[in-house]
Amino acid sequence: MLRAFAIAATIAALAWVAGGQALLGRVDPALAIPLLGPPMLFLARWQRGEPIALRWRIGLLTLALLAVMQGLLAIVLAGSAGWLSLLLTIVAGGVAAWLADLVIQWRGRSRILPWFAGSMLVIGWFGAGHALLAALYRPAPVSADAPAVTILTGLPLRWSASHDIAAMIAEGTNDDPALARLAAAGPVSLVDSLADHVPSSGGTLLIAHPRALAPQELVAIDAFVRGGGHAVVLADALSGWPVRHPLGDPRNPPVTSLLTPLLDHWGVTLAAAPAAEDKALPVDVDGARLRLFSAGRFDRLPPQCRAYARRRAAQCQIGQGDVWLIGDADLLFTPLWRPLVPGAHHLRQADTMEWLSARLWPHTGYGRLRPLWIRARTS
């Protein structure tokens, strides 16, 4: 019992510290999978001289205790045990225990070979564990016939920071990581005006803190949504997006939202963020974790709207269509959503791009496993 408890507690502690649970704000039991190798090898070495039946009883007891520890931790901090993630962890733990027992019980002529095999098991298991998590957390692909998402924005999502037009042409588009992620998820069309680029029927519109729109563009947006279209609108009362050019340069993003006429027409009023909010704030929106920075709140919403995160986000039915409203354009700012390890999207610190993809292309955006976030305390 003591051996089983010690190993189970070690795995839980490794998942919390080295697995990223504390750092990412997630208590997914599956984050322990890549770290199962060393504890299981230690357990196998600890009971090397024991009968096989006793070794397996202790191994099963270890996995049961680990399931209890991880399940209770998830329920207390996240309100859900994450049963699929927990089951996957226990199955992987059984495989790791079996492989570790084979390595430790190996009676080779050389003493170096078992140590080498143990090292390869730890390294290979770590890599295979992360590869498995990457596959399970990877969002479902967008169907090939999905309509392109029309994006209208005043944020610097495309083109370089160079002042020289010739240099900009030579360097190419140099897309911002947020735009690159969306383009990798599905077809997108970045436009400068909606006068002649209103999405077709079944399409989706992403309006991300645009510059001042002409009256005909505002009318086109309203008609598109009321006619059954889907839209995501990022309207920031005070943008924190870094500026690349001197103050007053029209190439910089708008300081505040210029969508007030459209929002007023929909019966929505966006207020400024509280002055005390000077750091990234995790919020839960429709089952996803987003990270906002100095987000405004929607003080006035019509009855057909549902508010989230203390009115920092809302979903509204407008006519026959629907629109998601987020009071923060910094939602797309890369440091707020990118994974801590470049390219390791299963170690993400927010669901921002997955959540956005699911709104832009229905039935996509999430993988077989979803992060189990520690419940956010928003004010």
Side-chain angles (χ1 to χ4, degrees), residues 37-350:
M40 290 306 181
L41 276 173
F42 187 79
L43 176 62
R45 183 67 181 85
W46 200 352
Q47 52 184 4
R48 181 176 183 178
E50 304 289 351
I52 185 172
L54 179 59
R55 297 201 305 269
W56 279 106
R57 283 201 298 270
I58 295 177
L60 292 174
L61 181 59
T62 299
L63 295 176
L65 290 173
L66 176 62
V68 171
M69 292 178 185
Q70 286 288 294
L72 287 176
L73 183 67
I75 290 173
V76 170
L77 296 181
S80 172
W83 294 111
L84 181 58
S85 181
L86 189 61
L87 176 62
L88 180 66
T89 304
I90 299 309
V91 172
V95 175
W98 172 64
L99 292 175
D101 188 71
L102 289 180
V103 170
I104 295 300
Q105 297 298 325
W106 183 21
R107 298 289 195 273
R109 294 182 179 181
S110 172
R111 294 183 178 181
I112 299 178
L113 288 179
W115 285 99
F116 178 77
S119 300
M120 291 299 99
L121 173 61
V122 171
I123 297 172
W125 184 271
F126 182 82
H130 277 292
L132 174 65
L133 293 184
L136 292 176
Y137 282 103
R138 184 176 297 121
V142 176
S143 61
D145 58 347
V149 171
T150 302
I151 301 177
L152 178 67
T153 181
L155 302 174
L157 299 184
R158 176 158 285 175
W159 303 111
S160 67
S162 174
H163 294 271
D164 185 4
I165 297 297
M168 293 173 63
I169 296 174
E171 292 175 13
T173 56
N174 191 24
D175 288 352
D176 182 87
L179 181 58
R181 278 291 302 274
L182 290 177
V188 298
S189 175
L190 194 64
V191 300
D192 295 325
S193 170
L194 288 176
D196 301 313
H197 298 91
V198 179
S200 59
S201 177
T204 306
L205 179 61
L206 172 60
I207 305 174
H209 201 61
R211 296 179 175 85
L213 300 180
Q216 59 266 32
E217 293 182 282
L218 297 175
V219 171
I221 295 171
D222 181 64
F224 166 74
V225 174
R226 292 185 184 277
H230 306 281
V232 178
V233 177
L234 310 184
D236 204 321
L238 183 62
S239 174
W241 198 283
V243 296
R244 299 178 175 178
H245 309 287
L247 292 179
D249 193 308
R251 291 173 295 179
N252 289 326
V255 175
T256 188
S257 174
L258 302 177
L259 292 172
T260 301
L262 179 64
L263 297 181
D264 284 344
H265 184 63
W266 287 343
V268 176
T269 299
L270 175 63
E277 290 187 8
D278 57 353
K279 60 181 180 180
L281 179 71
V283 299
D284 296 325
V285 176
D286 196 26
R289 171 61 51 85
L290 308 181
R291 296 181 77 220
L292 309 178
F293 183 81
S294 187
R297 303 193 190 198
F298 298 101
D299 280 351
R300 181 170 63 106
L301 288 169
Q304 64 269 27
C305 291
R306 181 179 179 182
Y308 296 88
R310 296 183 181 269
R311 305 177 78 88
R312 293 179 176 89
Q315 183 184 22
C316 300
Q317 296 296 318
I318 307 294
Q320 297 180 0
D322 70 276
V323 59
W324 274 93
L325 302 172
I326 306 293
D328 185 25
D330 301 326
L331 176 80
L332 295 178
F333 188 45
T334 304
L336 294 182
W337 58 263
R338 66 184 171 193
L340 298 181
V341 179
H345 298 299
H346 62 289
L347 298 179
R348 59 182 180 264
Q349 53 183 333

